Amino acid sequence: MRFMVIVKASKDTEAGVMPPTELLTAMGKFNEEMVKAGVMQAGEGLHPTSKGARIKYSGNEPAVTHGPFAVTNDLIAGFWLIDVPSKDEAIAWMKRAPFDGGSEIEIRQVFAPDDFGEALTPELREQEERLREQVAKK
């Protein structure tokens, strides 16, 4: 099962405050453990919303709003994509993440092709597999 681990933004991350070397070192060690265990598939930190944009789709023309956005509980500062046998194991791994007090993450299971049932026709499934193979080659 794949899980997206969403690292919530804070006033500091939105202000562009970079983590101290000690946290970067601890995070690098944590990431290395996950890679060696075959758990981590991807992980990145995100720039503040001041460098981002939102696109809202309604009507004929998508509406673009440039950041910054108000600091709310739905802003994201980074993510991991991990592959583990269960949500409990995802939680166990993330309990080891070297965050300090006040940080918050969210763990969400990623859909697998079988989750879409008959809506994912054989043609769409083949397209999905072909695209995943192309992405994996990069």
Side-chain angles (χ1 to χ4, degrees):
M1 302 171 128
R2 293 187 317 148
F3 291 89
M4 173 71 73
V5 179
I6 301 162
V7 180
K8 301 288 182 138
S10 68
K11 287 181 180 178
D12 283 346
T13 61
E14 281 297 292
V17 175
M18 298 306 287
T21 300
E22 295 78 20
L23 180 57
L24 292 173
T25 301
M27 198 61 74
K29 182 180 175 188
F30 178 64
N31 288 342
E32 191 168 2
E33 290 175 24
M34 288 198 296
V35 169
K36 286 180 178 175
V39 168
M40 184 173 159
Q41 295 187 331
E44 303 290 344
L46 302 176
H47 281 272
T49 60
S50 61
K51 296 183 177 184
R54 288 180 175 163
I55 302 176
K56 186 172 185 174
Y57 301 90
S58 61
N60 293 333
E61 188 68 29
V64 178
T65 305
H66 294 274
F69 305 115
V71 178
T72 61
N73 200 27
D74 64 343
L75 294 184
I76 300 169
F79 69 92
W80 282 284
L81 183 61
I82 62 173
D83 190 356
V84 292
S86 67
K87 183 171 76 175
D88 288 341
E89 190 164 332
I91 292 169
W93 270 103
M94 289 303 128
K95 282 177 143 181
R96 298 170 48 197
F99 290 115
D100 59 0
S103 298
E104 182 178 350
I105 63 170
E106 180 176 326
I107 299 171
R108 304 271 303 272
Q109 187 174 349
V110 175
F111 280 112
D114 290 342
D115 294 327
F116 294 98
E118 293 180 15
L120 191 65
T121 65
E123 294 80 17
L124 291 173
R125 184 178 297 265
E126 183 179 310
Q127 177 189 40
E128 180 72 17
E129 290 171 0
R130 179 175 38 82
L131 292 174
R132 287 183 185 274
E133 287 176 11
Q134 288 177 356
V135 169
K137 290 180 182 175
K138 288 190 172 188

